[in-house]
Amino acid sequence: MGTNKALLELGGMPLVVRTAHLVESASGTKPTIVGSPEIYARLRLHAIRDDWPGAGPLGGIATALRASESPWNLIVACDLPYLTKAWLEHLIHRAKRSHADALVPLNDAGAEPLCAIYNKSSESAIWLALDRGVRKVTDGLAGLRAEHIEPREWKAFDSEGLLFKNMNSTADYEEAKVRIGARSKP
């Protein structure tokens, strides 16, 4: 999109702040942002530098897991404007009963690894994948015991089919502004 999507405003606040508030409300913990601490400190968010700059989201996942002391870690991209607290709470609750390395939703196009929950145990496998030059997130998860969440389960939290729709273009952003604005009107 030619700009830092995290800083785009939606519903009166930057996407990253909106997402951080959503994650905190669902998990009860303050999230850590992987990115520039200087940029995100101005937004009163805790951020850490990416251990794998240029490696894309897989490097961000590895960095988040390295920095975490929690057994389960909710990993959410900031450009998913239709996520809901109910869905994230369900994902967190489901992880507590799982013996997998990751719980990853599936949609018709494949896995949704940027709205998933990862066990701390998955850290070493992801780092090894990065060391081998893997950059595609789904390829980086190939060595994990992943439990997949089928569409019939997550669609109960998303009647419009938008839960995992991200913003990759100006048109996506404009659509999100209209949809989010319509949801917030009385």
Side-chain angles (χ1 to χ4, degrees):
M1 287 181 56
T3 188
N4 183 347
K5 290 191 276 187
L7 301 178
L8 293 174
E9 293 233 343
L10 191 62
M13 67 183 76
L15 278 171
V16 68
V17 172
R18 189 173 187 276
T19 303
H21 288 296
L22 179 64
V23 168
E24 184 173 0
S25 72
S27 69
T29 60
K30 290 220 178 269
T32 296
I33 311 301
V34 176
S36 171
E38 298 80 18
I39 290 173
Y40 299 114
R42 290 190 299 243
L43 298 172
R44 305 180 97 142
L45 298 172
H46 176 255
I48 58 172
R49 292 200 188 288
D50 194 338
D51 294 335
W52 292 87
L58 187 61
I61 293 169
T63 302
L65 291 173
R66 188 241 342 125
S68 175
E69 295 179 10
S70 298
W72 284 104
N73 299 273
L74 182 61
I75 303 290
V76 179
C78 72
D79 67 344
L80 297 169
Y82 308 108
L83 289 181
T84 66
K85 179 180 178 182
W87 161 249
L88 296 180
E89 287 174 336
H90 176 75
L91 191 57
I92 292 165
H93 178 72
R94 186 138 183 253
K96 292 176 182 175
R97 300 185 322 261
S98 178
H99 298 288
D101 294 322
L103 273 75
V104 182
L106 296 176
N107 70 25
D108 295 335
E112 292 291 347
L114 298 181
C115 182
I117 194 160
Y118 295 83
N119 195 290
K120 179 76 170 167
S121 65
S122 64
E123 178 184 1
S124 60
I126 294 172
W127 277 77
L128 288 171
L130 285 161
D131 281 338
R132 289 191 315 272
V134 173
R135 296 298 180 260
K136 187 176 177 184
V137 177
T138 52
D139 292 347
L141 306 183
L144 301 181
R145 290 174 297 139
E147 185 177 323
H148 291 108
I149 300 172
E150 297 293 332
R152 69 181 173 278
E153 184 175 341
W154 61 257
K155 284 186 177 181
F157 298 90
D158 177 30
S159 62
E160 296 180 77
L162 298 171
L163 196 62
F164 305 117
K165 182 175 172 53
N166 62 356
M167 297 186 333
N168 288 324
S169 68
T170 303
D172 292 338
Y173 177 47
E174 294 302 322
E175 177 186 351
K177 288 194 300 188
V178 169
R179 286 182 181 274
I180 299 301
R183 286 182 183 176
S184 64
K185 290 184 180 169

